[in-house]
Amino acid sequence: MTKGVGGSDYEEVLHSIKTWHKTADPISITEYRDRYIRVQELIKTYKADALLLNGGASLQYFSGLVWSDFAVDRLFGLIIPKNGAPHYIVPRFEKGTICNGVILEGELHCWDEHEDPYEISASLMRKLGINRLAVDPLSPFTVSENIRRTLPSVGLIDATPIIDGCRAKKSPAEIALLQQAKDITLEVHRLTAGVLCAGMSTTKVKSFVNDAHRAMGAGGTKFDIVLFGEATSYPHGIRSEQKLKEGDIVLIDMGCSVSGYISDITRTYVFGENIDDDVRDVWTLEKQAQAAAFEAAQLGSPCENVDKAARRIIEDAGFGPDYELPGLPHRTGHGIGLSVHEAPYLVRGNKTPLEAGMCFSNEPMIVVPNRFGVRLEDHFFMTETGPQWFTKPSHSIDDPFG
């Protein structure tokens, strides 16, 4: 049996889990104020008069308020003008919740259910002299359309460079929260591998993953992908439930959230006594590609160089080329923070230079169609001297957790 895989009692392990012992501090009010200064500088740089946010991760980043971006039928708007305090456009019946959740205080503009919140927004923007508005590209289409309807004179621009100009580089406080989330998830990975047994369903594994994250204080699992056997050749899984068998390759991709900051770690190993030679070879190649990507992540180098380094290792071994299978079907990595996938991305064509504070996944998956896939995913962050791992990469296919 692969070392550390199987042999532990499900309930016994679950009941032995303790709340995580080392917790990172939340983002301070000083940091929120620094973010506000920075975003106003960028609003001016890109010749806008204000930035509009509507729920989601960027709203949390700038205000501290966790507010779903799915409730599109009710506008929750945060307008950040190039000068002065922020303005919140909010449903009146949510005022208490909002006042309790907002860290960066500003002026509240409340609307009742029978009122048109976009008319209120338009009136405010006219008062503030906003003629050019940067809109979060992840806002629902209806937000931009309703702004055009109520204030046709305003020019709308893409806020991507403004938002990414703030969120792409993480502060030490953000990195500490990311570190905690990733440490918790790696430990959940280790415990999950131990409780696997023949006949266990993917649903049962997901239940353990969620309960273990919750027991450690992470509030449950943010997402999970659990795959056995041939299903591992589908990078983001299949719909049907699977049952674990002797000799199956196992791929588990999971993450949690600590104060909104997300982990995302994947481990691949074999359940059973024997490991096929081709599985071992691909696993080893995957580890080499992951290491090459890490080494290529040097300050000032373009993001695409990281993808090139991983892909070169895989193609030199006879896979690919490019995204062809068997081989690496997707980019090597993505940024991570308050969103599981965020800019910048480690992909061909991305010339963004690597800078201290940027945080990335490193996951150059190798897929052998209709047979198996191997993904080893860890994350690193850029320091003033180069890349540093958040989590130690998988040790070996025989002893994945070292």
Side-chain angles (χ1 to χ4, degrees), residues 181-218:
K182 295 171 199 305
D183 287 344
I184 288 172
T185 290
L186 186 57
E187 178 62 7
V188 172
H189 259 296
R190 187 185 69 81
L191 296 175
T192 302
V195 302
L196 294 180
C197 63
M200 182 178 282
S201 68
T202 49
T203 300
K204 185 72 170 176
V205 176
K206 290 180 179 183
S207 179
F208 180 88
V209 166
N210 182 66
D211 290 345
H213 272 123
R214 189 176 300 280
M216 290 186 192

Side-chain angles (χ1 to χ4, degrees), residues 30-82:
T30 300
E31 184 160 330
Y32 280 105
R33 289 170 178 159
D34 289 343
R35 291 174 181 180
Y36 195 73
I37 292 169
R38 171 63 175 158
V39 75
Q40 286 188 314
E41 290 172 349
L42 288 172
I43 289 169
K44 294 170 188 173
T45 297
Y46 288 96
K47 310 298 184 188
D49 296 313
L51 166 67
L52 174 67
L53 303 171
N54 179 63
S58 288
L59 177 70
Q60 181 179 354
Y61 180 85
F62 290 109
S63 74
L65 182 65
V66 179
W67 196 264
S68 173
D69 53 357
F70 294 112
V72 296
D73 59 327
R74 289 191 178 99
L75 175 68
F76 182 104
L78 168 58
I79 295 177
I80 300 177
K82 63 183 178 182

Side-chain angles (χ1 to χ4, degrees), residues 39-286:
V39 75
Q40 286 188 314
E41 290 172 349
L42 288 172
I43 289 169
K44 294 170 188 173
T45 297
Y46 288 96
K47 310 298 184 188
D49 296 313
L51 166 67
L52 174 67
L53 303 171
N54 179 63
S58 288
L59 177 70
Q60 181 179 354
Y61 180 85
F62 290 109
S63 74
L65 182 65
V66 179
W67 196 264
S68 173
D69 53 357
F70 294 112
V72 296
D73 59 327
R74 289 191 178 99
L75 175 68
F76 182 104
L78 168 58
I79 295 177
I80 300 177
K82 63 183 178 182
N83 296 302
H87 296 262
Y88 296 92
I89 303 159
V90 302
R92 191 179 304 279
F93 73 93
E94 299 280 19
K95 183 178 178 180
T97 300
I98 291 156
C99 290
N100 182 260
V102 164
I103 295 175
L104 186 70
E105 294 184 354
E107 186 174 342
L108 258 62
H109 306 266
C110 297
W111 55 273
D112 290 311
E113 290 282 72
H114 68 284
E115 295 181 298
D116 183 345
Y118 292 97
E119 291 287 359
I120 294 170
S121 302
S123 177
L124 173 62
M125 285 190 278
R126 280 191 288 266
K127 182 179 177 181
L128 293 173
I130 296 172
N131 297 308
R132 187 172 164 85
L133 181 66
V135 180
D136 183 351
L138 297 182
S139 293
F141 176 73
T142 185
V143 171
S144 296
E145 288 305 291
N146 275 297
I147 292 169
R148 289 191 178 98
R149 171 180 62 82
T150 55
L151 194 63
S153 63
V154 72
L156 303 183
I157 66 169
D158 181 3
T160 295
I162 296 172
I163 293 171
D164 291 352
C166 293
R167 290 180 56 187
K169 292 190 290 183
K170 275 62 179 180
S171 69
E174 290 180 283
I175 287 173
L177 289 165
L178 285 165
Q179 184 69 68
Q180 182 183 338
K182 295 171 199 305
D183 287 344
I184 288 172
T185 290
L186 186 57
E187 178 62 7
V188 172
H189 259 296
R190 187 185 69 81
L191 296 175
T192 302
V195 302
L196 294 180
C197 63
M200 182 178 282
S201 68
T202 49
T203 300
K204 185 72 170 176
V205 176
K206 290 180 179 183
S207 179
F208 180 88
V209 166
N210 182 66
D211 290 345
H213 272 123
R214 189 176 300 280
M216 290 186 192
T221 302
K222 188 76 174 178
F223 64 90
D224 53 39
I225 300 170
V226 179
L227 306 171
F228 303 149
E230 182 185 331
T232 62
S233 66
Y234 298 87
H236 287 149
I238 60 175
R239 183 178 301 176
S240 59
E241 184 175 69
Q242 307 135 60
K243 296 290 182 69
L244 186 60
K245 304 186 303 297
E246 176 75 19
D248 271 349
I249 189 167
V250 176
L251 187 156
I252 302 178
D253 183 346
M254 64 168 97
C256 71
S257 171
V258 173
S259 295
Y261 287 86
I262 299 173
S263 60
D264 178 15
I265 299 173
T266 308
R267 288 292 179 263
T268 305
Y269 42 82
V270 173
F271 177 80
E273 298 290 343
N274 300 311
I275 300 173
D276 293 342
D277 288 343
D278 56 349
V279 172
R280 182 181 295 277
D281 290 345
V282 169
W283 195 100
T284 302
L285 182 64
E286 167 76 356

Side-chain angles (χ1 to χ4, degrees), residues 289-311:
Q290 188 191 45
F294 180 80
E295 291 301 322
Q298 298 301 315
L299 290 170
S301 295
C303 286
E304 68 175 356
N305 281 9
V306 181
D307 182 77
K308 286 179 182 178
R311 206 169 293 277

